[in-house]
């Protein structure tokens, strides 16, 4: 069974940086896309960034210019570099691996990693 595991979360001051990792137990080419989501307390889940097999990326407006998603196919890992962090970025960050963009709800989810940004 394919698994994805997140790491790299933590506590950081506003303006700081963190790099999250999403490591898959299968080759990244097994998936059409890998996505990062976040959920803040009392808020609905938000798609933060996505990267496809061919390297195309997308970002939520709230993180454009601050976050960068990338992939290392040799390590089966997708990264989320987060710079200029704001308290509003606080939440649980989870990645999911989407097998087919035609059926994006069929995906493997990780357990998540906590990001806390303090002012």
């Amino acid at each position: 069974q394919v698994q994805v595991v997140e790491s790299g979360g933590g506590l950081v001051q506003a303006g700081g940086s963190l790099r999250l990792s999403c490591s898959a137990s299968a080759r990244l080419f097994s998936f059409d896309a890998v996505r990062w989501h976040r959920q803040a307390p009392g808020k609905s889940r938000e798609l933060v960034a996505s990267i496809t097999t061919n390297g195309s990326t997308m970002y939520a407006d709230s993180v454009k210019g601050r976050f960068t998603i990338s992939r290392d196919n040799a390590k089966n890992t997708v990264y989320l570099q987060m710079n200029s962090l704001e308290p509003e970025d606080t939440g649980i960050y989870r990645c999911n691996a989407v097998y087919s963009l035609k059926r994006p709800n069929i995906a493997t989810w990780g357990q998540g990693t906590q990001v806390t940004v303090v002012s």
Side-chain angles (χ1 to χ4, degrees):
Q1 185 174 355
V2 176
Q3 294 181 326
V4 293
V5 178
E6 303 93 337
S7 61
L11 177 69
V12 64
Q13 287 193 329
S17 299
L18 284 173
R19 189 178 78 158
L20 306 183
S21 299
C22 173
S23 298
S25 62
R27 290 170 56 84
L28 291 183
F29 291 115
S30 303
F31 316 111
D32 274 1
V34 177
R35 297 173 169 174
W36 281 101
H37 306 253
R38 69 185 179 190
Q39 187 163 17
K43 294 187 177 180
S44 58
R45 189 174 64 209
E46 174 188 20
L47 174 60
V48 174
S50 176
I51 187 165
T52 65
T53 301
N54 64 6
S56 297
T57 59
M58 66 77 61
Y59 299 93
D61 288 342
S62 57
V63 306
K64 280 181 181 177
R66 300 188 298 122
F67 290 11
T68 302
I69 190 170
S70 62
R71 56 193 287 153
D72 185 333
N73 294 327
K75 295 182 178 180
N76 296 329
T77 299
V78 170
Y79 302 100
L80 185 67
Q81 178 67 44
M82 306 187 296
N83 299 329
S84 302
L85 283 162
E86 304 168 353
E88 292 74 21
D89 295 317
T90 294
I92 297 175
Y93 284 68
R94 297 177 69 191
C95 69
N96 77 341
V98 178
Y99 294 93
S100 171
L101 289 175
K102 296 179 181 179
R103 303 176 73 181
N105 291 333
I106 299 177
T108 294
W109 287 86
Q111 292 299 309
T113 186
Q114 176 71 44
V115 171
T116 303
V117 184
V118 296
S119 56

